[in-house]
Amino acid sequence: MCSPSVNTICSWFDPSEPKNRFTRYPSWNTKMYPIWKDGDPRYKDSWKGGRVTFNVGNDSPTLTAAKVTFTIDLEFPHNQKVQPDGDVVWAEDCVVNGTKYHGSEPVYPTQNTDWEAVFPDGSPVKKDKKPNYVFVWKTWGQYWQVADGCSSSLTIDTDDIPLGSYTMDIVIYHYRSKEKFIPLGYASTQFSITDQIPFAVSLDQVNDIVAGDMRFIQNRAIAFTITLHDPSQYLSNADITFNWDFGDESGALISRELTVTHTYISSGSFKPQVVIQAVIPDKACDPPVGTPTKAPGPPTDRGTTGGKRTVTLTGQATVEVVAKRAAGDKPSDDDCVIYRYGSFCTGIEVFEGIEKVEIVQMDNAVFATPEMDKNVLDITVTCQGSLPKEVCTVILDAECLRPIHTACNMVEPSKECQLVLRHFFNDSGIYCINVSMANDVSLAAASAKVSVDMGLSSLGTVGMVLGVLVLVLAVGIVAYSYK
């Protein structure tokens, strides 16, 4: 299998639809590049070992006047594989239609290359090596011919193309013998051209319990990160500003940074939104190539313009268009720039969270049993803010690196947040204690170190036995008490 493209979709023509639309070009060499309709019985034997399928994709939506790139990857039958040099060989010894093939043997051995390679329309193939595959891409009443390996791509301009959705059709040919290519099939992919800047917004908050659920904690900063979709770097020289309204009457924030933070000081439902404006230099105003220009003044220290790098955050939000501005909304006295806009809006919920967890007291004593002496450690924990639903305790070694025991339990509702957690030890030593409390929307934690001393009665005991953390009413190993 060829390496798949990043933005891959699988798309094929309806087999019932005749595919002969490429015959309209008079210069098409149908002898070298025959045209078969989809469903033609000759396709059954067009490739040894099975049918070749195609993964076709593109990087749209594409901002008008930017470039759009299409990709195609050929996928071969399971009993074949692609070598690093692009040759397709049998993956193992096998028998196909009564013929035996050996592993690593080429599916189609190299044929005589003593001929001039040309495209279907007769134009020459400007490559030193004869092509294994020829891809003919067609849209907008135009076609592009590409000679390549089992993975290929095509990048085209969208200048002067009306906004809307389009279909790119592809026919795939494989070199089979001298001056002869065999069609492997047809494929297509949908793409779109827009005057709205394509982008996504992600929201992230430290200790967010469920990333992407659009539920956050008050009095804790939320990072809003914009990821522009500009694979052709059309906006690389644009002046881009972001106008934020967080929906809590805190006022507007205008920024040129891809990431901003905002803290909601009260709980409730909010609708943050942002409008993007890009001021793009108009290529029509560029001086003609070779025309001398006036020498500039003394040089100044200018920073290089580079691509902006995002912060990868969790919680991808759905993009909704809330305001569409006409592409022509620009000052009449400024004809050398193009204005483009984009907008985003989403709904979020803000809740009071568990603000703080503290280990306020630790008491330990030796507890004698008929089998052995154990040390009981009572940990008193308090919290502020909303009440927890679950408490977890992690016991680690003295360096706080290696977890020794972890236990979690649900907590019954209470007017005040104070718990007593009980653990049993049967070996002396220094341990780290991590206690965390969580509910549906928040998580908070605290840590401490404790020294467990079993006394003389524990000599000869090896290892440490930790009771399973369960409710005291179940087996009496851990106790929760509320004030």
Side-chain angles (χ1 to χ4, degrees):
M1 180 185 299
C2 296
S3 299
S5 60
V6 175
N7 301 313
T8 295
I9 60 172
C10 293
S11 178
W12 293 271
F13 283 118
D14 180 357
S16 63
E17 181 184 357
K19 296 296 183 284
N20 56 359
R21 59 190 70 181
F22 289 95
T23 58
R24 68 176 61 184
Y25 302 107
S27 60
W28 194 279
N29 187 339
T30 56
K31 181 178 180 181
M32 183 181 295
Y33 293 90
I35 294 179
W36 301 344
K37 293 181 180 180
D38 210 2
D40 191 301
R42 287 174 290 185
Y43 278 120
K44 181 180 179 181
D45 300 319
S46 65
W47 190 269
K48 293 179 184 177
R51 189 77 179 264
V52 178
T53 57
F54 319 110
N55 285 336
V56 184
N58 63 81
D59 60 7
S60 75
T62 302
L63 192 60
T64 179
K67 297 179 184 295
V68 57
T69 296
F70 302 89
T71 58
I72 183 169
D73 296 288
L74 276 57
E75 292 189 355
F76 300 94
H78 70 280
N79 56 0
Q80 300 170 10
K81 63 181 180 179
V82 181
Q83 298 289 75
D85 60 1
D87 289 340
V88 181
V89 300
W90 297 98
E92 56 188 12
D93 294 349
C94 59
V95 177
V96 177
N97 295 331
T99 303
K100 184 175 182 180
Y101 299 98
H102 300 283
S104 300
E105 178 185 350
V107 177
Y108 289 96
T110 303
Q111 299 290 331
N112 181 14
T113 58
D114 185 20
W115 59 282
E116 181 182 357
V118 295
F119 284 115
D121 66 355
S123 57
V125 176
K126 298 179 180 179
K127 281 196 172 185
D128 296 334
K129 182 181 178 181
K130 297 297 187 294
N132 288 328
Y133 306 91
V134 167
F135 305 89
V136 183
W137 307 78
K138 176 179 174 293
T139 191
W140 307 329
Q142 307 175 50
Y143 65 91
W144 295 262
Q145 305 168 117
V146 179
D148 215 332
C150 61
S151 293
S152 188
S153 65
L154 171 72
T155 300
I156 60 177
D157 292 313
T158 64
D159 294 297
D160 303 320
I161 300 299
L163 307 181
S165 297
Y166 300 92
T167 299
M168 174 67 84
D169 296 326
I170 313 102
V171 59
I172 302 96
Y173 285 93
H174 177 244
Y175 171 67
R176 195 55 54 84
S177 62
K178 183 178 180 180
E179 300 184 9
K180 186 69 172 181
F181 285 78
I182 294 297
L184 297 181
Y186 297 87
S188 67
T189 181
Q190 302 290 322
F191 66 104
S192 61
I193 300 175
T194 177
D195 62 351
Q196 299 287 294
I197 300 172
F199 69 100
V201 178
S202 59
L203 284 70
D204 183 73
Q205 189 177 58
V206 175
N207 291 334
D208 192 5
I209 294 294
V210 181
D213 65 353
M214 295 297 132
R215 304 172 75 190
F216 302 96
I217 304 301
Q218 70 182 48
N219 298 318
R220 189 181 299 172
I222 301 174
F224 294 78
T225 298
I226 289 177
T227 303
L228 296 173
H229 181 73
D230 184 33
S232 66
Q233 298 297 303
Y234 175 68
L235 300 174
S236 59
N237 294 321
D239 180 18
I240 304 176
T241 56
F242 310 101
N243 192 329
W244 289 94
D245 181 351
F246 297 102
D248 60 353
E249 300 183 351
S250 59
L253 172 64
I254 299 177
S255 171
R256 283 182 169 83
E257 299 297 325
L258 289 172
T259 299
V260 298
T261 60
H262 183 73
T263 301
Y264 291 88
I265 60 176
S266 60
S267 59
S269 299
F270 302 94
K271 286 190 174 182
Q273 56 184 314
V274 63
V275 175
I276 297 180
Q277 175 184 276
V279 183
I280 309 166
D282 192 345
K283 293 184 293 185
C285 295
D286 293 344
V289 177
T291 301
T293 56
K294 184 178 179 180
T300 58
D301 183 14
R302 297 182 180 179
T304 58
T305 302
K308 298 179 178 66
R309 185 176 64 183
T310 58
V311 179
T312 301
L313 301 177
T314 58
Q316 191 71 22
T318 302
V319 174
E320 302 175 10
V321 176
V322 296
K324 181 176 181 180
R325 304 193 183 189
D329 289 348
K330 61 180 181 179
S332 58
D333 59 347
D334 192 350
D335 295 328
C336 285
V337 294
I338 300 171
Y339 287 78
R340 291 287 181 260
Y341 299 92
S343 56
F344 162 87
C345 180
T346 191
I348 66 172
E349 298 288 336
V350 177
F351 300 86
E352 180 186 22
I354 304 174
E355 299 293 340
K356 187 178 182 180
V357 172
E358 289 185 299
I359 298 176
V360 297
Q361 186 174 336
M362 289 191 292
D363 300 311
N364 66 84
V366 176
F367 180 74
T369 66
E371 295 83 10
M372 64 179 68
D373 291 344
K374 295 182 179 179
N375 188 288
V376 61
L377 176 66
D378 287 336
I379 308 169
T380 304
V381 185
T382 63
C383 67
Q384 298 177 10
S386 62
L387 297 174
K389 288 187 176 181
E390 183 183 53
V391 59
C392 291
T393 305
V394 181
I395 310 295
L396 303 98
D397 59 11
E399 288 74 28
C400 304
L401 298 176
R402 183 175 61 89
I404 300 174
H405 182 75
T406 300
C408 296
N409 261 100
M410 303 303 294
V411 178
E412 295 296 329
S414 172
K415 293 182 179 179
E416 297 183 16
C417 182
Q418 179 166 309
L419 307 177
V420 177
L421 311 179
R422 174 166 290 178
H423 288 274
F424 289 99
F425 300 81
N426 69 345
D427 196 16
S428 301
I430 297 176
Y431 304 95
C432 282
I433 309 290
N434 286 349
V435 178
S436 62
M437 294 183 178
N439 54 25
D440 293 338
V441 295
S442 60
L443 170 70
S447 300
K449 278 192 175 183
V450 62
S451 177
V452 176
D453 186 4
M454 300 298 297
L456 296 177
S457 60
S458 65
L459 291 178
T461 303
V462 295
M464 179 181 72
V465 177
L466 291 175
V468 179
L469 186 61
V470 294
L471 293 178
V472 65
L473 295 180
V475 292
I477 295 182
V478 64
Y480 292 90
S481 65
Y482 297 89
K483 289 185 178 180

